[in-house]
Amino acid sequence: MSAKEFKPLPAQPAPVTTTGPVAWVRDNLFSSAFNIAATIIIAASLVAALPGMIDWLFISANWSGVTQDECVKDGACWVFISAWSQQIFYGSYPTDEIWRVNLSLLLLTAVIASSFLLSDRLRNKISIPAFLLLPFVCLLLLDGSMIGLPPVTTDLWGGFSLNVLLAAASIIIAFPFGFLWALGRRSEMPFARSVSVTCIEFFRGTPILALFFMGSVMLPLFFPAGVTVDKLLRVWIILILFMSAYMAEVFRSGFQAIPNGQYEAADSIGLGYWQKTLLIIFPQVIKVSMPNILATFVMVFKNTVFLLVIAVPEMLQVIMSALSNSNWLGGHAIEGYLFVGFIFWACCFSMSLLATTIEKKLDTSHKN
Amino acid sequence: MSAGNQTNENVDDRDIIVIKDMNKWYGNFHVLKDINLTVKKGERIVVCGPSGSGKSTMIRCINRLEQFQRGSLTVNDVEMIDDVKNIEAIRREVGMVFQHFNLFPHLSILDNLTLGPIWVQKKSKQEAEAIAMNYLERVKIPDQAHKFPGHLSGGQQQRVAIARSLCMAPEIILFDEPTSALDPEMIKEVLDVMVELAEEGMTMICVTHEMGFAKKVADRVIFMDGGEIVEQNTPHEFFDHPETDRLQLFLSQILQH
């Protein structure tokens, strides 16, 4: 029996008007009367506002000098920022010991970089322990008294480096905590579940400002006489607990995205509870939760500025005290707040870019 | 190819699965009613029945993906009780292949296969990989070892899933509608692997609607409805001389087209 031969049709290119820059502009900027009007209004307001802004920010700005008297031009007085830069970044940390802060930041960068550059197996063996050790290494290094360096008490720590290190240290410790709480909340054991639910709901339902006040004012009242716990340490613990509660909920939503079949398959090959959780479920939870995990990171990082209400000299607190310094009463609030805003924006934006990279890396395009 | 009604020389006298008076409820819904089933080592059993008849639930009880409330179950002389040791011992002997494959999407094919041998049987990585490659060759996809499950077709994924359970060297493999989620063109490649497995003497319990497969390899075909075993017989008797009117109706409906 002879059959008719089947010849597939060749693929043809898409019509020109549907791809390319012209089509993009037409589809996105001029697709309807409303869109055309919006495009024109936005373009006009940009044209009106941008030159003035650029002039104030850069062209007529004062870039060099050490006192505010040198700010003679009309534009921004960036001298204010450069004169205070050491305090803005390092607080009152002694100048001779600043290398310790820099080393801590460098270690943090190195550990983050290692988790990107190393192969999967080395990452599990090196980067994860390094992450978990990092907060304590930095603590020893910055404090100094335990490792034979000149001691620097925590009231001198401050500035942007404090925001970064405190946020990083909280995130790192909160990660395993949050995961345990999420597991506890899903657990069938009543004790584990009720403890987890109580912790999560308490720390998620209380504003971070209230928690900071509680930590700085109320908690010491409960300590026995003579026992003092360092203020920064209390703040750190509060940040960890607060962050853990949010991470727990992020992980819980991740857990719910994992199909039951994954648990069943793990059970059917005989994996135990922890093997199943860590080898099968955890990596997939991390993957689906990545955008939310990052959002939580950014939130905690930004929340560190609330520390100013309990007089921890983080970046914004430094700027505010610089603004009330008698030598700088010329009204530099706009420059100061713009600078803080810019630094935070730059950090959060790079975290977003980092997250996109991670998501691409994790996505082995195995969407079922 | 051997006909199903021919005696299976791989069957020996040892009872490997013994289910006695098994009853299961989902809340108040009685899903399994007085199930009694004994499977000998090397026996190939096909379970069929309308949806909701409890056939999947029954085989899922065998490796405790589901728990039953009354009755007893013994697998390879280990009784299924509420003890982690017993559960793990049974799961080591029972492999399972699912309707939706359930491969681990974040692991490569090779890692999917070596996970059990490495973490459960504590084999070395080299040994586990050698075993895995051997079974990948058996299911005819050794070239896919370093890809991820998402890159494979449904039929290939199901063959990987079969290889994954074989890597644990189980005494029994349970198949839970292994071809129901596959495109028609891929069903054959999976069935071929299952037929080969059956010919090698693996003890198998398959929940399936592939009646051709049942005729070809089964030693016994079981028909379930409403949570009970209605009828069981050799394929020849089962298809040609069904005893109950329920089975006659079922067969007339599925064999019509």
Side-chain angles (χ1 to χ4, degrees):
Chain A
M1 189 178 82
S2 74
K4 222 157 96 186
E5 193 188 352
F6 165 67
K7 279 195 196 129
L9 290 172
Q12 290 172 353
V16 221
T17 50
T18 58
T19 54
V22 178
W24 185 90
V25 167
R26 209 181 47 195
D27 287 351
N28 292 287
L29 300 179
F30 301 105
S31 59
S32 66
F34 177 76
N35 256 353
I36 293 171
T39 305
I40 290 171
I41 292 170
I42 291 168
S45 37
L46 279 181
V47 168
L50 266 184
M53 274 166 66
I54 291 171
D55 183 58
W56 186 84
L57 282 172
F58 304 107
I59 300 168
S60 343
N62 301 278
W63 293 95
S64 59
V66 281
T67 66
Q68 77 172 337
D69 298 335
E70 286 164 89
C71 287
V72 286
K73 291 199 270 179
D74 289 341
C77 181
W78 296 124
V79 177
F80 172 68
I81 301 296
S82 62
W84 286 93
S85 57
Q86 186 181 331
Q87 280 82 356
I88 290 175
F89 282 100
Y90 302 105
S92 319
Y93 211 84
T95 313
D96 293 341
E97 305 294 333
I98 278 178
W99 63 270
R100 278 145 65 173
V101 182
N102 288 335
L103 182 59
S104 303
L105 292 169
L106 196 71
L107 285 174
L108 174 65
T109 321
V111 174
I112 294 174
S114 79
S115 62
F116 277 91
L117 302 175
L118 294 177
S119 70
D120 285 2
R121 197 135 52 91
L122 284 177
R123 180 160 51 231
N124 292 345
K125 283 200 180 126
I126 296 175
S127 301
I128 293 177
F131 261 118
L132 293 174
L133 277 177
L134 186 73
F136 304 101
V137 171
C138 290
L139 203 62
L140 287 180
L141 193 64
L142 292 174
D143 177 64
S145 58
M146 311 262 262
I147 51 170
L149 290 168
V152 179
T153 49
T154 55
D155 53 319
L156 298 176
W157 304 8
F160 186 59
S161 56
L162 183 68
N163 292 59
V164 172
L165 290 172
L166 198 58
S170 315
I171 288 163
I172 290 168
I173 308 293
F175 213 86
F177 257 96
F179 191 69
L180 283 179
W181 283 1
L183 279 183
R185 192 166 192 165
R186 293 172 52 83
S187 162
E188 283 163 13
M189 288 179 282
F191 178 72
R193 192 169 58 227
S194 50
V195 167
S196 304
V197 170
T198 313
C199 288
I200 293 170
E201 293 305 332
F202 176 75
F203 285 103
R204 231 165 55 103
T206 319
I208 184 95
L209 275 179
L211 288 174
F212 282 153
F213 275 122
M214 252 187 257
S216 66
V217 183
M218 237 175 70
L219 259 176
L221 301 178
F222 294 108
F223 293 137
V227 175
T228 54
V229 175
D230 188 89
K231 181 154 120 191
L232 209 58
L233 189 62
R234 279 178 274 150
V235 163
W236 185 32
I237 292 170
I238 286 169
L239 270 174
I240 289 175
L241 294 173
F242 181 76
M243 173 90 184
S244 303
Y246 273 87
M247 290 299 283
E249 290 299 278
V250 166
F251 284 135
R252 189 162 72 109
S253 67
F255 274 116
Q256 269 156 3
I258 308 299
N260 238 339
Q262 293 291 310
Y263 294 90
E264 292 177 354
D267 282 340
S268 77
I269 58 173
L271 294 176
Y273 176 80
W274 287 107
Q275 289 174 337
K276 177 172 68 178
T277 306
L278 294 177
L279 296 171
I280 306 300
I281 307 303
F282 182 64
Q284 299 189 58
V285 166
I286 291 286
K287 204 188 112 188
V288 296
S289 315
M290 208 59 219
N292 291 335
I293 290 174
L294 191 95
T296 316
F297 282 6
V298 168
M299 181 190 75
V300 165
F301 178 52
K302 291 194 295 184
N303 275 346
T304 56
V305 298
F306 287 139
L307 289 172
L308 72 92
V309 300
I310 50 166
V312 171
E314 51 70 55
M315 189 188 203
L316 194 57
Q317 167 85 0
V318 172
I319 294 273
M320 286 169 77
S321 48
L323 285 173
S324 53
N325 185 292
S326 56
N327 292 327
W328 291 90
L329 289 173
H332 304 295
I334 299 181
E335 289 92 329
Y337 294 136
L338 261 185
F339 184 71
V340 173
F342 173 75
I343 295 287
F344 270 94
W345 173 81
C347 289
C348 295
F349 184 62
S350 18
M351 279 161 84
S352 289
L353 290 181
L354 208 64
T356 320
T357 323
I358 300 174
E359 278 166 38
K360 279 198 188 127
K361 200 172 158 157
L362 287 176
D363 183 23
T364 35
S365 74
H366 41 245
K367 299 208 166 74
N368 277 322
Chain B
M1 196 98 15
S2 65
N5 51 1
Q6 200 174 308
T7 43
N8 174 359
E9 66 278 8
N10 291 313
V11 177
D12 68 32
D13 257 350
R14 194 155 68 89
D15 292 341
I16 198 152
I17 298 176
V18 181
I19 300 175
K20 276 194 192 130
D21 298 322
M22 183 194 272
N23 278 274
K24 178 177 172 60
W25 288 264
Y26 283 126
N28 275 326
F29 179 60
H30 201 171
V31 263
L32 293 180
K33 298 171 187 162
D34 291 332
I35 301 288
N36 282 290
L37 179 67
T38 304
V39 180
K40 294 199 181 302
K41 183 162 168 43
E43 211 175 358
R44 284 110 42 160
I45 290 179
V46 166
V47 184
C48 60
S51 60
S53 60
K55 51 197 192 307
S56 282
T57 309
M58 181 184 79
I59 70 163
R60 287 158 60 87
C61 281
I62 295 174
N63 64 348
R64 209 186 162 99
L65 294 184
E66 303 281 356
Q67 289 183 46
F68 53 90
Q69 280 82 34
R70 216 167 65 200
S72 73
L73 162 68
T74 310
V75 179
N76 209 15
D77 297 329
V78 182
E79 196 180 352
M80 177 65 84
I81 48 171
D82 235 348
D83 183 334
V84 183
K85 281 227 171 70
N86 285 31
I87 296 171
E88 284 179 356
I90 289 176
R91 281 181 177 164
R92 272 197 297 273
E93 298 305 335
V94 181
M96 187 156 200
V97 176
F98 300 88
Q99 180 178 2
H100 295 289
F101 333 131
N102 296 352
L103 296 179
F104 305 127
H106 62 298
L107 297 177
S108 71
I109 299 304
L110 193 60
D111 289 340
N112 262 281
L113 267 62
T114 55
L115 195 75
I118 290 176
W119 291 92
V120 180
Q121 299 176 331
K122 312 288 176 206
K123 293 198 161 106
S124 73
K125 195 166 187 276
Q126 288 84 349
E127 203 184 341
E129 282 181 0
I131 295 171
M133 286 314 292
N134 176 29
Y135 282 114
L136 277 182
E137 264 158 46
R138 290 260 304 272
V139 299
K140 302 180 189 68
I141 35 177
D143 48 323
Q144 312 282 358
H146 297 286
K147 290 195 183 161
F148 283 88
H151 297 142
L152 270 58
S153 73
Q156 289 174 325
Q157 289 195 46
Q158 193 60 297
R159 284 186 280 155
V160 171
I162 295 173
R164 179 174 68 182
S165 48
L166 288 174
C167 280
M168 298 296 291
E171 293 272 355
I172 308 139
I173 297 192
L174 310 172
F175 290 86
D176 189 0
E177 305 202 23
T179 55
S180 303
L182 294 175
D183 290 342
E185 284 186 326
M186 292 166 182
I187 291 177
K188 185 178 177 296
E189 63 188 50
V190 171
L191 287 180
D192 284 347
V193 169
M194 290 169 64
V195 170
E196 240 174 71
L197 210 57
E199 282 166 357
E200 285 161 20
M202 176 60 79
T203 313
M204 300 162 74
I205 302 182
C206 313
V207 172
T208 182
H209 300 294
E210 297 297 331
M211 291 304 137
F213 174 78
K215 282 178 191 162
K216 195 191 263 178
V217 301
D219 297 309
R220 198 162 17 134
V221 186
I222 291 175
F223 175 67
M224 286 182 75
D225 187 30
E228 45 191 317
I229 294 180
V230 178
E231 200 171 329
Q232 50 178 312
N233 221 326
T234 59
H236 180 76
E237 291 294 312
F238 186 90
F239 290 107
D240 296 347
H241 308 287
E243 285 164 12
T244 57
D245 53 347
R246 184 65 191 91
L247 178 55
Q248 285 168 8
L249 178 69
F250 179 76
L251 288 177
S252 72
Q253 272 164 351
I254 60 165
L255 297 177
Q256 248 166 24
H257 41 87

